[in-house]
């Protein structure tokens, strides 16, 4: 494959999105937010009234919605059956339900295939892509020459997320994120985990600019 793939994994609030978009911009790469695709699938399930306590019901309907994701780091776009859902997928209902939907193997199979098709196209027709998520280095792009696993303390992650939202507190965010992290890390299907060849970067004490320049340095080091 000619293009460059940068795989960016880590829990919520670790800085994945800001870092991935900046790195893609700097290197002229496409950008894919795979979490937005799981959120879009969840938004559709909620709107259809699918019982999210029933993995078989989720699996049975998972082939129906047409999820389309843009790859412009300056304007990430996400739509379901042609409807722009960039706003609603960040709401509390979707955030509370997304771990249940993303744990279902049929959902993952479908979205991973779609993500790999976007990755192949970005490498064929462009310079490559930065892909962020939970299973990129291990499942979506195990061949990626650059794999980063971003972490940060639970408190730092909750603080960052609280700054992006209204009507919440650091304590409430920390509790909600801990719940989601546990679900995402202990599920049977592709749990959040670091690939052996990924570089772990703890961003707790680093500024966004410092993280971006470290990722750019690692990318240059790992690509001839
Ligand atoms: O990155 P995010 O918070 O927007 O992701 C939303 C959820 O989607 C997260 O709780 C776990 C899930 N997810 C996943 O299972 N696999 C991915 N590659 C990306 C996200």
């Amino acid at each position: 494959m000619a293009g460059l793939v940068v795989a960016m994994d880590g829990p919520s609030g670790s800085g994945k999105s800001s870092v991935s978009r900046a790195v893609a911009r700097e290197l002229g790469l496409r950008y894919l937010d795979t979490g937005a695709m799981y959120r879009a699938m969840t938004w559709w399930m909620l709107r259809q009234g699918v019982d999210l306590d029933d993995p078989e019901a989720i699996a049975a309907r998972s082939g129906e919605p047409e999820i389309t994701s843009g790859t412009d780091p300056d304007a990430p776009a996400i739509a379901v059956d042609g409807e722009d859902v960039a706003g609603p997928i960040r709401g509390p209902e979707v955030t509370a339900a997304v771990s249940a939907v993303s744990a279902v193997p049929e959902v993952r199979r479908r979205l991973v295939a779609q993500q790999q098709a976007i990755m192949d196209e970005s490498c064929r027709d462009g310079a490559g892509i930065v892909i962020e998520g939970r299973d990129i280095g291990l499942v979506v792009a195990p061949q990626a020459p650059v794999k980063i696993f971003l972490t940060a303390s639970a408190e730092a992650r909750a603080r960052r997320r609280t700054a992006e939202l209204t009507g919440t507190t650091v304590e409430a965010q920390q509790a909600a994120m801990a719940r989601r992290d546990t679900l995402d890390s202990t599920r049977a299907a592709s749990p959040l985990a670091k690939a052996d060849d990924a570089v772990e970067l703890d961003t707790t004490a680093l500024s966004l600019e410092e993280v971006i320049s470290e990722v750019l340095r690692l990318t240059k080091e790992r690509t001839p």
Side-chain angles (χ1 to χ4, degrees):
M1 200 185 283
L4 169 64
V5 176
V6 177
M8 185 82 67
D9 288 302
S12 49
S14 57
K16 288 191 307 293
S17 297
S18 311
V19 174
S20 299
R21 289 174 66 181
V23 168
R25 223 177 273 131
E26 180 70 25
L27 299 178
L29 304 177
R30 311 306 300 170
Y31 159 73
L32 183 64
D33 175 2
T34 62
M37 298 173 77
Y38 288 95
R39 286 174 179 272
M41 178 70 82
T42 304
W43 174 86
W44 183 86
M45 294 277 169
L46 286 168
R47 189 153 89 165
Q48 294 290 315
V50 176
D51 177 4
L52 300 188
D53 290 326
D54 180 356
E56 283 179 22
I58 296 173
R61 304 288 307 273
S62 63
E64 292 182 41
E66 184 71 38
I67 295 168
T68 42
S69 179
T71 58
D72 180 350
D74 288 317
I78 182 89
V80 181
D81 298 326
E83 184 175 341
D84 175 5
V85 294
I89 63 163
R90 304 288 163 196
E93 293 84 7
V94 169
T95 299
V98 66
S99 291
V101 174
S102 58
V104 175
E106 285 77 3
V107 168
R108 304 201 69 81
R109 254 197 297 282
R110 177 157 188 247
L111 294 185
V112 166
Q114 206 179 330
Q115 291 153 15
Q116 289 173 331
I118 294 170
M119 173 176 74
D120 291 348
E121 193 188 309
S122 302
C123 289
R124 206 176 42 240
D125 303 340
I129 190 163
V130 180
I131 313 185
E132 66 153 284
R134 303 291 193 288
D135 61 342
I136 310 304
L138 279 166
V139 178
V140 177
Q143 82 291 359
V146 186
K147 297 183 185 177
I148 314 282
F149 193 85
L150 286 190
T151 60
S153 73
E155 204 219 321
R157 296 193 290 116
R159 247 190 295 109
R160 290 173 190 165
R161 199 33 63 86
T162 308
E164 297 167 357
L165 301 167
T166 49
T168 186
T169 63
V170 175
E171 291 71 25
Q173 270 309 302
Q174 196 167 331
M177 287 166 83
R179 180 183 155 273
R180 196 144 67 89
D181 287 347
T182 304
L183 291 171
D184 294 341
S185 310
T186 57
R187 68 179 177 220
S190 318
L192 167 68
K194 179 186 158 303
D196 285 342
D197 54 348
V199 176
E200 183 164 341
L201 201 54
D202 184 340
T203 68
T204 306
L206 301 178
S207 69
L208 179 58
E209 289 67 31
E210 287 171 322
V211 182
I212 294 165
S213 69
E214 179 60 8
V215 172
L216 288 170
R217 194 191 65 73
L218 285 164
T219 303
K220 287 196 184 97
E221 187 182 281
R222 293 186 158 217
T223 49

